Amino acid sequence: MRIQNIKTISRGLMKKQLILCVVVALTLVLSQSMLAQDNPINLGARLGLNLGDVSFDPDLPSEVTSSMRTGFAFGAYGEIGVAENFFITGEFLYLQSGTVLKEGSEEITFKADYLSIPISAKYKFAIENSTVKPFVFGGPTIGFNAKAEYVSGSSTEDVGKNTESINFGIHFGAGVEFEVTPGTNLFFDAGYGLGLSNGYKHTDDSIFDSNQKIYSRDIGIKAGVSFKIN
């Protein structure tokens, strides 16, 4: 059992170290790119829906079901070109995630809100004689827990003590960008976020067992506007 625990801890540390290395590498690329004045820099804002859910390991009993919690995502956005049609983007978002648990007639909504920092590699597909650019993106995400609570009927319970303060994950997706005026772009995208670190922390009054692991799953549908600043 002790050996198994060591293996589990080691795998968790390796995931976190890998994501941190990717974040550092992308940050270095971004820093170097900003020194080149010819590279386009765009700043803007984001707003959209976030469909939050979680996966359980081990699975919950068959009589307990989970479904998505619908929330919002909003915040700041920036991107910098590092090569032709290739960009590095960074966002600072307030993200409403969580899940809805049901057992018979009883329903509990788990609200987990994060300050989310996704960093992406983005490739835009140029279309000849068109201001429309489809794109794909993906990269690591770091989330800092801002609020965690259970809501059942009119009762609300703070469960921050049962929620890890930092969540590591990856995300990917696709979208389309429209140039509405020179230097001003509107864009729409859909993405999937996959939590890689266990977000659950056991205490004596927890509703789950000590061996339970919970991983976030998010589907984001967002719009944005960006302005070229150089």
Side-chain angles (χ1 to χ4, degrees):
M1 180 64 70
R2 182 177 298 176
I3 293 176
Q4 183 63 36
N5 288 340
I6 293 174
K7 289 181 178 178
T8 301
I9 293 171
S10 298
R11 285 195 295 267
L13 289 174
M14 288 177 65
K15 287 180 181 178
K16 292 180 180 180
Q17 290 172 351
L18 176 60
I19 293 173
L20 285 174
C21 286
V22 173
V23 171
V24 170
L26 290 174
T27 301
L28 290 174
V29 171
L30 185 61
S31 300
Q32 292 297 318
S33 299
M34 291 182 69
L35 298 177
Q37 296 183 359
D38 292 337
N39 291 358
I41 299 176
N42 301 309
L43 299 178
R46 301 274 272 147
L47 174 65
L49 291 178
N50 188 69
L51 305 177
D53 205 351
V54 299
S55 69
F56 294 88
D57 181 21
D59 291 336
L60 295 178
S62 58
E63 62 270 18
V64 181
T65 62
S66 66
S67 58
M68 291 181 172
R69 177 206 175 193
T70 301
F72 291 99
F74 54 89
Y77 170 87
E79 70 175 15
I80 183 168
V82 294
E84 186 176 5
N85 298 324
F86 184 73
F87 293 78
I88 298 296
T89 71
E91 301 176 58
F92 187 81
L93 304 174
Y94 190 89
L95 187 71
Q96 296 179 324
S97 187
T99 191
V100 179
L101 301 176
K102 292 182 179 180
E103 182 178 7
S105 60
E106 184 179 3
E107 179 177 297
I108 296 177
T109 299
F110 171 50
K111 296 183 178 181
D113 293 0
Y114 288 89
L115 298 176
S116 180
I117 305 175
I119 299 176
S120 306
K122 175 189 282 189
Y123 187 83
K124 300 180 182 181
F125 299 91
I127 300 176
E128 188 174 359
N129 298 323
S130 175
T131 59
V132 177
K133 292 183 178 180
F135 59 83
V136 293
F137 62 91
T141 304
I142 299 178
F144 300 91
N145 184 252
K147 181 175 72 174
E149 58 187 23
Y150 290 143
V151 178
S152 179
S154 60
S155 175
T156 299
E157 178 186 359
D158 188 310
V159 290
K161 62 184 178 181
N162 300 123
T163 306
E164 294 289 352
S165 58
I166 300 177
N167 185 26
F168 296 90
I170 58 174
H171 65 277
F172 52 87
V176 61
E177 177 183 278
F178 305 86
E179 185 179 57
V180 291
T181 62
T184 302
N185 297 313
L186 290 177
F187 56 99
F188 305 87
D189 60 55
Y192 184 69
L194 182 67
L196 299 179
S197 57
N198 175 28
Y200 175 64
K201 210 165 34 171
H202 181 72
T203 59
D204 291 339
D205 57 352
S206 301
I207 66 173
F208 298 115
D209 296 333
S210 58
N211 65 337
Q212 186 71 60
K213 295 180 177 62
I214 300 177
Y215 301 93
S216 63
R217 304 287 185 262
D218 293 283
I219 297 175
I221 303 171
K222 298 188 287 294
V225 59
S226 67
F227 306 93
K228 187 175 180 181
I229 64 172
N230 76 329

